[in-house]
């Protein structure tokens, strides 16, 4: 039975969710507050977009430092090979580089974004550029979403794919945490994942902009390697 499905967030996860939901016969609408979807994808891999890693499940899990068990079911349902097949089917030839990293042959992240948009357009997904203000729930079910302009839209299912809060300029401002918390979910303390190293001294200033490969960093505190 066809359902009305809303996807909040037009990043990589939101666009893939919209594509999958629409492919399964649902009427899907994506709400994205930015003028263009998947802005964060555009800057990944230094603008080339590291799509996935070309390895088997066991290798993938061994190289997931935290949360491998959490990733197990998702990876089993849609593996690296599935990811590569998806993008090549959508017209993006891929290549595998050092460390089994997979990039578009074109070295352009925009091709990955265009493929995601093309995939959902194949199944008539509607893309609405609007900021979702809140979710309305009743009897432990989301009934509607309310936009910043006051409009209310009703859906059978809502997929929350707003991302984290790692890069606000791309739209990752933590909205999803607030939505989830307002619906009764518990939010664990948030921690940064990829972060710069802040140094009090100024001796590294001349190194700004220097890009190095295969670098190892050791930290010593009071003469002991940590």
């Amino acid at each position: 039975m066809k359902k009305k499905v809303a996807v909040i967030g037009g990043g990589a996860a939101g666009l893939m969710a919209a594509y999958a939901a629409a492919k399964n016969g649902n009427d899907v609408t994506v709400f994205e507050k930015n003028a263009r979807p998947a802005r964060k994808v555009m800057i990944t891999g230094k603008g080339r977009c590291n799509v996935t890693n070309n390895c088997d499940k066991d290798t993938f899990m061994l190289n997931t430092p935290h949360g491998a068990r959490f990733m197990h079911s998702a990876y089993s349902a849609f593996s690296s090979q599935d990811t590569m097949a998806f993008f090549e089917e959508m017209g993006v030839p891929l290549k595998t580089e050092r460390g089994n990293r997979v990039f578009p042959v074109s070295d352009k992240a925009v091709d990955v974004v265009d493929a995601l948009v093309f995939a959902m357009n194949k199944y008539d997904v509607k893309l609405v550029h609007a900021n979702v203000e809140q979710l309305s729930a009743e009897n432990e079910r989301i009934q509607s979403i309310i936009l910043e302009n006051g409009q209310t839209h009703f859906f059978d299912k809502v997929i929350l794919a707003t991302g984290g809060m790692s890069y606000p300029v791309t739209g990752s401002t933590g909205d999803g945490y607030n939505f989830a918390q307002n619906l009764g979910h518990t939010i664990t303390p948030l921690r940064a994942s990829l972060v710069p190293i802040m140094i009090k001294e100024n001796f590294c200033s001349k190194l700004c902009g220097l890009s190095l490969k295969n670098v190892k960093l050791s930290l010593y505190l009071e003469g002991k390697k940590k």
Side-chain angles (χ1 to χ4, degrees):
M1 180 180 175
K2 178 181 285 192
K3 294 183 180 296
K4 289 188 64 179
V5 178
V7 179
I8 303 177
L15 298 182
M16 280 296 289
Y19 158 76
K23 187 178 181 181
N24 284 327
N26 297 294
D27 180 10
V28 183
T29 303
V30 175
F31 291 88
E32 167 56 44
K33 61 185 178 182
N34 289 322
R36 292 193 62 184
R39 283 191 63 187
K40 201 186 300 177
V41 175
M42 293 286 288
I43 62 175
T44 58
K46 297 180 180 177
R48 296 199 299 145
C49 189
N50 182 189
V51 175
T52 187
N53 195 273
N54 190 2
C55 64
D56 58 39
K57 182 171 69 174
D58 292 338
T59 304
F60 186 91
M61 294 303 164
L62 284 172
N63 287 276
T64 303
H66 306 288
R69 289 183 61 187
F70 175 80
M71 291 288 295
H72 197 278
S73 62
Y75 191 87
S76 297
F78 201 80
S79 67
S80 295
Q81 286 67 40
D82 294 326
T83 303
M84 294 168 66
F86 167 81
F87 281 107
E88 293 194 325
E89 182 183 335
M90 295 301 155
V92 183
L94 302 174
K95 60 182 177 178
T96 301
E97 297 188 357
R98 175 179 54 84
N100 291 326
R101 296 171 303 153
V102 178
F103 292 92
V105 170
S106 65
D107 285 330
K108 294 179 180 178
V110 67
D111 290 347
V112 174
V113 175
D114 288 345
L116 290 168
V117 174
F118 173 76
M120 68 175 196
N121 284 342
K122 279 182 62 177
Y123 294 95
D124 299 321
V125 173
K126 294 177 284 294
L127 178 60
V128 176
H129 294 286
N131 193 20
V132 176
E133 185 74 20
Q134 67 182 84
L135 307 181
S136 174
E138 190 174 316
N139 298 323
E140 298 186 348
R141 288 180 61 88
I142 296 175
Q143 300 294 317
S144 63
I145 65 174
I146 302 170
L147 303 183
E148 191 174 42
N149 61 11
Q151 291 182 359
T152 300
H153 297 264
F154 295 88
F155 292 92
D156 300 304
K157 300 287 183 180
V158 175
I159 298 173
L160 200 55
T162 56
M165 54 188 304
S166 59
Y167 214 126
V169 71
T170 66
S172 296
T173 53
D175 297 347
Y177 299 121
N178 295 328
F179 292 147
Q181 193 165 39
N182 290 338
L183 291 170
H185 289 281
T186 300
I187 306 300
T188 60
L190 304 179
R191 295 185 300 172
S193 178
L194 299 175
V195 295
I197 298 174
M198 307 300 292
I199 301 174
K200 291 181 180 179
E201 293 80 4
N202 197 34
F203 63 87
C204 288
S205 60
K206 293 182 179 180
L207 301 178
C208 285
L210 180 64
S211 180
L212 302 173
K213 294 181 179 180
N214 302 322
V215 176
K216 180 182 288 186
L217 178 69
S218 297
L219 175 65
Y220 288 84
L221 293 177
E222 298 179 352
K224 293 183 179 181
K225 186 175 180 180
K226 296 294 183 180

